[in-house]
Amino acid sequence: MRIILLYLIALVIAPNTAGSIEVTRGKLLQGSLLLLQVDTSSTVTVNGETIPVSANGKAIVGFHRDETEPLHIIETLKDGSKKELTLKPKLRVYREQRINGLPENMVTPPDKVLKRIVEDRKQVTKARSYSTSINAFEKIFSWPIKGIITGTYGTKRILNGKPRAPHYGIDIAAPKGTPVRAPQAGIIRMAKNLYFTGWTIILDHGHGLSSTFLHLSGTKAKVGQRVQKNQIIGNVGSTGRSTGPHLDWRINLLKKRLDPHLIAGKMSRK
Ligand SMILES: [Zn+2]
Protein backbone atom coordinates (compact mmCIF):
# COMPACT_ATOMS: atom_id res chain seq x y z
CA MET A 1 0.00 0.00 0.00
CA ARG A 2 2.77 2.36 0.99
CA ILE A 3 4.65 1.61 -2.25
CA ILE A 4 1.53 2.26 -4.30
CA LEU A 5 1.02 5.54 -2.47
CA LEU A 6 4.61 6.62 -3.15
CA TYR A 7 4.12 5.69 -6.80
CA LEU A 8 0.97 7.81 -7.02
CA ILE A 9 2.76 10.74 -5.38
CA ALA A 10 5.59 10.36 -7.90
CA LEU A 11 3.08 10.46 -10.76
CA VAL A 12 1.56 13.67 -9.42
CA ILE A 13 4.97 15.30 -8.92
CA ALA A 14 6.23 14.38 -12.40
CA PRO A 15 3.26 14.53 -14.75
CA ASN A 16 5.31 15.90 -17.64
CA THR A 17 7.47 12.91 -18.51
CA ALA A 18 5.57 10.42 -20.62
CA GLY A 19 8.10 7.70 -21.29
CA SER A 20 11.00 7.86 -23.68
CA ILE A 21 11.60 8.47 -27.37
CA GLU A 22 11.96 5.35 -29.49
CA VAL A 23 15.13 4.71 -31.51
CA THR A 24 14.02 2.42 -34.34
CA ARG A 25 17.32 2.08 -36.24
CA GLY A 26 21.03 2.88 -35.86
CA LYS A 27 23.88 2.27 -33.45
CA LEU A 28 25.29 4.36 -30.62
CA LEU A 29 28.57 4.80 -32.45
CA GLN A 30 30.58 7.68 -33.93
CA GLY A 31 29.55 8.10 -37.61
CA SER A 32 26.12 6.56 -37.05
CA LEU A 33 22.66 7.71 -38.17
CA LEU A 34 19.76 7.10 -35.78
CA LEU A 35 16.12 7.00 -36.78
CA LEU A 36 13.65 8.18 -34.15
CA GLN A 37 9.93 7.57 -33.87
CA VAL A 38 8.04 10.41 -32.24
CA ASP A 39 4.45 11.60 -32.15
CA THR A 40 3.40 13.14 -35.49
CA SER A 41 2.38 16.43 -33.87
CA SER A 42 5.48 16.76 -31.64
CA THR A 43 8.31 19.22 -31.92
CA VAL A 44 11.79 17.81 -31.35
CA THR A 45 15.03 19.49 -30.33
CA VAL A 46 18.56 18.09 -30.27
CA ASN A 47 20.91 19.95 -27.92
CA GLY A 48 18.53 22.91 -28.13
CA GLU A 49 18.09 22.99 -31.93
CA THR A 50 14.79 22.07 -33.56
CA ILE A 51 14.92 19.22 -36.09
CA PRO A 52 12.22 18.35 -38.65
CA VAL A 53 9.63 15.64 -37.98
CA SER A 54 7.98 13.91 -40.96
CA ALA A 55 4.21 13.43 -41.35
CA ASN A 56 4.61 9.86 -40.03
CA GLY A 57 6.61 10.96 -36.97
CA LYS A 58 10.16 10.13 -38.15
CA ALA A 59 13.21 12.21 -37.28
CA ILE A 60 16.95 11.62 -37.62
CA VAL A 61 20.03 12.44 -35.59
CA GLY A 62 23.65 11.51 -36.18
CA PHE A 63 27.09 11.35 -34.60
CA HIS A 64 30.05 13.01 -36.30
CA ARG A 65 33.39 11.15 -36.70
CA ASP A 66 34.83 12.74 -33.54
CA GLU A 67 31.64 13.33 -31.56
CA THR A 68 32.18 12.61 -27.86
CA GLU A 69 29.39 14.64 -26.26
CA PRO A 70 25.93 13.10 -25.85
CA LEU A 71 22.92 14.23 -27.88
CA HIS A 72 20.14 15.43 -25.63
CA ILE A 73 16.79 15.00 -27.38
CA ILE A 74 13.56 16.56 -26.13
CA GLU A 75 10.20 15.77 -27.70
CA THR A 76 7.43 18.21 -26.80
CA LEU A 77 4.01 16.74 -27.42
CA LYS A 78 0.92 18.66 -28.47
CA ASP A 79 -0.38 18.76 -24.87
CA GLY A 80 2.91 20.29 -23.66
CA SER A 81 4.21 17.12 -22.01
CA LYS A 82 7.80 16.14 -22.73
CA LYS A 83 9.81 13.02 -23.47
CA GLU A 84 13.56 13.05 -23.18
CA LEU A 85 16.40 10.88 -24.38
CA THR A 86 20.16 11.16 -24.07
CA LEU A 87 22.29 9.29 -26.60
CA LYS A 88 26.01 8.87 -26.04
CA PRO A 89 28.23 7.63 -28.88
CA LYS A 90 30.74 4.82 -28.45
CA LEU A 91 34.17 5.98 -29.55
CA ARG A 92 35.93 4.40 -32.51
CA VAL A 93 39.60 3.91 -33.29
CA TYR A 94 40.44 5.03 -36.83
CA ARG A 95 43.24 3.54 -38.87
CA GLU A 96 45.95 5.41 -40.71
CA GLN A 97 46.31 5.18 -44.49
CA ARG A 98 49.33 6.33 -46.48
CA ILE A 99 48.86 7.10 -50.16
CA ASN A 100 51.92 7.90 -52.25
CA GLY A 101 52.37 8.77 -55.89
CA LEU A 102 49.65 11.43 -56.02
CA PRO A 103 50.46 14.38 -58.31
CA GLU A 104 52.00 17.07 -56.08
CA ASN A 105 49.43 19.70 -57.24
CA MET A 106 46.71 17.50 -55.69
CA VAL A 107 48.42 17.37 -52.27
CA THR A 108 49.66 20.96 -52.10
CA PRO A 109 47.62 22.85 -54.71
CA PRO A 110 49.29 25.77 -56.51
CA ASP A 111 48.20 29.31 -55.53
CA LYS A 112 46.32 29.88 -58.76
CA VAL A 113 43.72 27.19 -57.93
CA LEU A 114 43.14 28.25 -54.28
CA LYS A 115 40.30 30.57 -55.32
CA ARG A 116 38.63 27.73 -57.19
CA ILE A 117 39.02 25.38 -54.19
CA VAL A 118 37.39 27.95 -51.86
CA GLU A 119 34.54 28.39 -54.36
CA ASP A 120 34.13 24.59 -54.71
CA ARG A 121 33.85 24.25 -50.91
CA LYS A 122 31.23 26.99 -50.70
CA GLN A 123 29.09 25.28 -53.32
CA VAL A 124 29.45 21.86 -51.66
CA THR A 125 28.44 23.33 -48.28
CA LYS A 126 25.38 24.93 -49.89
CA ALA A 127 24.40 21.71 -51.71
CA ARG A 128 24.48 19.84 -48.37
CA SER A 129 22.52 22.49 -46.47
CA TYR A 130 19.03 21.60 -47.75
CA SER A 131 16.53 20.19 -45.30
CA THR A 132 13.82 19.03 -47.68
CA SER A 133 10.59 17.42 -46.47
CA ILE A 134 10.98 14.29 -48.65
CA ASN A 135 11.09 11.01 -46.75
CA ALA A 136 13.86 9.01 -48.49
CA PHE A 137 16.03 9.59 -45.37
CA GLU A 138 14.02 7.07 -43.34
CA LYS A 139 14.23 4.22 -45.88
CA ILE A 140 16.79 1.44 -46.27
CA PHE A 141 19.89 2.40 -48.29
CA SER A 142 21.68 0.17 -50.80
CA TRP A 143 25.24 0.38 -52.15
CA PRO A 144 25.62 2.64 -55.24
CA ILE A 145 28.06 0.14 -56.83
CA LYS A 146 29.53 -3.26 -55.97
CA GLY A 147 33.32 -3.52 -55.85
CA ILE A 148 36.35 -3.81 -53.62
CA ILE A 149 36.43 -1.50 -50.62
CA THR A 150 39.82 0.24 -50.69
CA GLY A 151 39.18 3.07 -48.24
CA THR A 152 37.02 3.31 -45.13
CA TYR A 153 35.32 6.09 -43.17
CA GLY A 154 37.33 8.06 -40.67
CA THR A 155 40.80 6.92 -41.73
CA LYS A 156 43.65 9.32 -40.96
CA ARG A 157 45.30 10.22 -44.26
CA ILE A 158 48.96 10.76 -45.07
CA LEU A 159 49.25 11.85 -48.72
CA ASN A 160 52.73 11.79 -50.28
CA GLY A 161 54.06 11.82 -46.70
CA LYS A 162 52.00 14.87 -45.61
CA PRO A 163 49.21 14.61 -42.99
CA ARG A 164 45.88 15.68 -44.50
CA ALA A 165 42.19 15.77 -43.44
CA PRO A 166 40.65 12.41 -42.47
CA HIS A 167 38.84 10.41 -45.10
CA TYR A 168 35.08 10.71 -44.68
CA GLY A 169 33.92 8.45 -47.49
CA ILE A 170 34.05 4.84 -48.50
CA ASP A 171 36.23 4.11 -51.53
CA ILE A 172 34.98 1.34 -53.76
CA ALA A 173 37.23 0.28 -56.63
CA ALA A 174 35.41 -0.70 -59.84
CA PRO A 175 36.12 -0.55 -63.58
CA LYS A 176 35.85 2.85 -65.24
CA GLY A 177 32.32 3.36 -66.58
CA THR A 178 30.56 1.16 -63.97
CA PRO A 179 27.07 2.66 -63.50
CA VAL A 180 26.56 4.44 -60.18
CA ARG A 181 23.04 3.98 -58.82
CA ALA A 182 21.20 6.17 -56.33
CA PRO A 183 21.39 4.32 -52.96
CA GLN A 184 18.09 5.93 -52.07
CA ALA A 185 15.71 8.38 -53.76
CA GLY A 186 16.40 12.09 -53.68
CA ILE A 187 16.88 15.41 -55.42
CA ILE A 188 20.16 16.29 -57.21
CA ARG A 189 21.73 19.34 -55.53
CA MET A 190 25.10 19.35 -57.32
CA ALA A 191 26.47 17.87 -60.56
CA LYS A 192 29.79 19.58 -61.20
CA ASN A 193 33.50 19.04 -61.89
CA LEU A 194 35.47 20.15 -58.77
CA TYR A 195 39.24 20.47 -58.27
CA PHE A 196 39.86 17.78 -55.62
CA THR A 197 36.86 15.53 -56.08
CA GLY A 198 36.45 15.68 -59.87
CA TRP A 199 32.94 15.08 -61.19
CA THR A 200 30.78 15.28 -58.09
CA ILE A 201 27.10 14.60 -57.45
CA ILE A 202 25.28 15.56 -54.27
CA LEU A 203 21.91 13.88 -53.71
CA ASP A 204 19.49 15.23 -51.10
CA HIS A 205 17.50 12.47 -49.30
CA GLY A 206 15.49 14.84 -47.09
CA HIS A 207 15.80 16.23 -43.53
CA GLY A 208 19.43 17.26 -44.13
CA LEU A 209 20.66 13.79 -45.12
CA SER A 210 22.67 13.74 -48.36
CA SER A 211 24.91 11.42 -50.36
CA THR A 212 27.99 12.67 -52.22
CA PHE A 213 29.58 10.72 -55.09
CA LEU A 214 33.12 11.66 -56.10
CA HIS A 215 35.59 11.11 -58.97
CA LEU A 216 32.87 10.20 -61.52
CA SER A 217 33.82 10.02 -65.20
CA GLY A 218 30.94 12.39 -65.83
CA THR A 219 27.21 12.70 -65.30
CA LYS A 220 24.04 13.60 -67.13
CA ALA A 221 22.30 14.40 -63.83
CA LYS A 222 20.84 17.89 -63.56
CA VAL A 223 20.51 20.05 -60.46
CA GLY A 224 16.91 19.92 -59.23
CA GLN A 225 16.25 16.54 -60.87
CA ARG A 226 14.38 13.95 -58.78
CA VAL A 227 15.79 10.43 -58.89
CA GLN A 228 14.44 7.09 -57.71
CA LYS A 229 16.33 4.50 -55.69
CA ASN A 230 18.64 2.43 -58.00
CA GLN A 231 18.39 4.94 -60.85
CA ILE A 232 21.73 5.42 -62.67
CA ILE A 233 23.10 8.89 -61.87
CA GLY A 234 26.67 8.69 -63.21
CA ASN A 235 29.61 6.40 -63.95
CA VAL A 236 32.77 5.42 -62.06
CA GLY A 237 35.81 7.45 -63.09
CA SER A 238 39.08 8.79 -61.74
CA THR A 239 38.63 12.55 -62.01
CA GLY A 240 40.12 14.91 -59.39
CA ARG A 241 42.52 13.64 -56.68
CA SER A 242 42.42 9.95 -57.47
CA THR A 243 44.94 7.22 -58.25
CA GLY A 244 42.60 4.96 -60.24
CA PRO A 245 38.92 4.33 -61.08
CA HIS A 246 36.84 4.18 -57.91
CA LEU A 247 33.77 5.68 -56.31
CA ASP A 248 34.10 7.66 -53.10
CA TRP A 249 30.66 7.69 -51.43
CA ARG A 250 29.97 10.01 -48.53
CA ILE A 251 26.94 10.69 -46.38
CA ASN A 252 26.24 13.91 -44.53
CA LEU A 253 23.61 14.94 -42.04
CA LEU A 254 24.00 18.66 -42.78
CA LYS A 255 27.59 19.34 -41.58
CA LYS A 256 27.99 16.03 -39.76
CA ARG A 257 29.92 13.35 -41.64
CA LEU A 258 28.37 9.92 -41.29
CA ASP A 259 29.67 6.45 -42.14
CA PRO A 260 27.92 5.05 -45.27
CA HIS A 261 28.87 1.53 -44.16
CA LEU A 262 26.75 1.89 -41.01
CA ILE A 263 23.82 3.15 -43.09
CA ALA A 264 23.88 0.71 -46.03
CA GLY A 265 25.01 -2.31 -43.98
CA LYS A 266 27.25 -5.01 -45.36
CA MET A 267 27.78 -5.01 -49.14
CA SER A 268 26.17 -8.13 -50.62
CA ARG A 269 28.31 -10.07 -53.10
CA LYS A 270 25.70 -10.16 -55.86
ZN1 LIG B 1 38.15 8.53 -51.18
Side-chain angles (χ1 to χ4, degrees):
M1 185 62 198
R2 199 165 165 187
I3 290 165
I4 292 168
L5 201 67
L6 283 173
Y7 177 69
L8 287 175
I9 290 167
L11 273 183
V12 173
I13 293 168
N16 278 350
T17 44
S20 84
I21 300 160
E22 200 187 341
V23 178
T24 56
R25 203 189 302 146
K27 290 179 181 166
L28 292 175
L29 197 61
Q30 288 176 328
S32 189
L33 176 74
L34 296 120
L35 185 64
L36 310 177
Q37 180 66 55
V38 298
D39 197 87
T40 53
S41 54
S42 291
T43 56
V44 177
T45 61
V46 179
N47 295 352
E49 287 198 36
T50 303
I51 58 164
V53 175
S54 68
N56 59 352
K58 306 278 195 233
I60 42 173
V61 296
F63 295 116
H64 188 76
R65 177 187 183 269
D66 305 305
E67 197 134 10
T68 53
E69 294 303 307
L71 299 177
H72 189 56
I73 303 160
I74 301 174
E75 174 186 359
T76 306
L77 287 93
K78 214 168 151 188
D79 64 2
S81 64
K82 289 182 196 301
K83 292 182 180 183
E84 298 193 24
L85 180 65
T86 299
L87 301 172
K88 198 169 161 43
K90 278 200 196 84
L91 310 190
R92 293 170 66 172
V93 177
Y94 299 107
R95 281 184 301 175
E96 190 180 282
Q97 188 180 26
R98 288 172 183 270
I99 298 174
N100 294 312
L102 283 164
E104 213 35 52
N105 66 345
M106 284 293 170
V107 178
T108 310
D111 286 351
K112 65 178 195 310
V113 295
L114 293 180
K115 229 176 112 183
R116 180 183 170 195
I117 292 166
V118 169
E119 188 53 37
D120 284 356
R121 282 209 184 115
K122 254 194 242 167
Q123 292 189 19
V124 166
T125 302
K126 183 171 175 267
R128 287 172 173 159
S129 69
Y130 291 87
S131 188
T132 317
S133 60
I134 56 172
N135 67 344
F137 72 90
E138 62 166 90
K139 298 186 175 157
I140 302 290
F141 278 60
S142 56
W143 287 79
I145 63 167
K146 300 285 163 67
I148 298 156
I149 293 171
T150 55
T152 52
Y153 169 90
T155 317
K156 296 167 206 153
R157 279 264 166 113
I158 319 280
L159 306 181
N160 292 1
K162 298 185 184 84
R164 287 292 178 265
H167 190 245
Y168 291 112
I170 288 203
D171 290 325
I172 313 154
K176 186 171 187 280
T178 303
V180 174
R181 294 172 186 276
Q184 190 42 263
I187 302 169
I188 304 281
R189 297 299 184 191
M190 170 179 272
K192 201 167 186 255
N193 194 3
L194 308 180
Y195 183 78
F196 280 127
T197 58
W199 275 100
T200 302
I201 293 179
I202 296 179
L203 183 59
D204 167 8
H205 304 295
H207 284 211
L209 193 71
S210 67
S211 280
T212 306
F213 310 91
L214 313 180
H215 311 301
L216 302 171
S217 65
T219 178
K220 292 191 178 91
K222 296 269 178 293
V223 170
Q225 182 190 345
R226 280 176 178 266
V227 300
Q228 298 306 310
K229 186 181 181 181
N230 291 326
Q231 190 175 327
I232 296 171
I233 51 173
N235 297 86
V236 170
S238 190
T239 55
R241 186 166 71 188
S242 169
T243 52
H246 77 288
L247 175 70
D248 184 332
W249 176 31
R250 302 179 174 204
I251 293 186
N252 272 61
L253 179 56
L254 298 174
K255 283 180 179 165
K256 287 188 185 188
R257 315 285 208 149
L258 307 184
D259 184 352
H261 216 141
L262 292 175
I263 294 164
K266 227 181 150 189
M267 188 194 288
S268 71
R269 298 207 173 267
K270 280 178 194 162

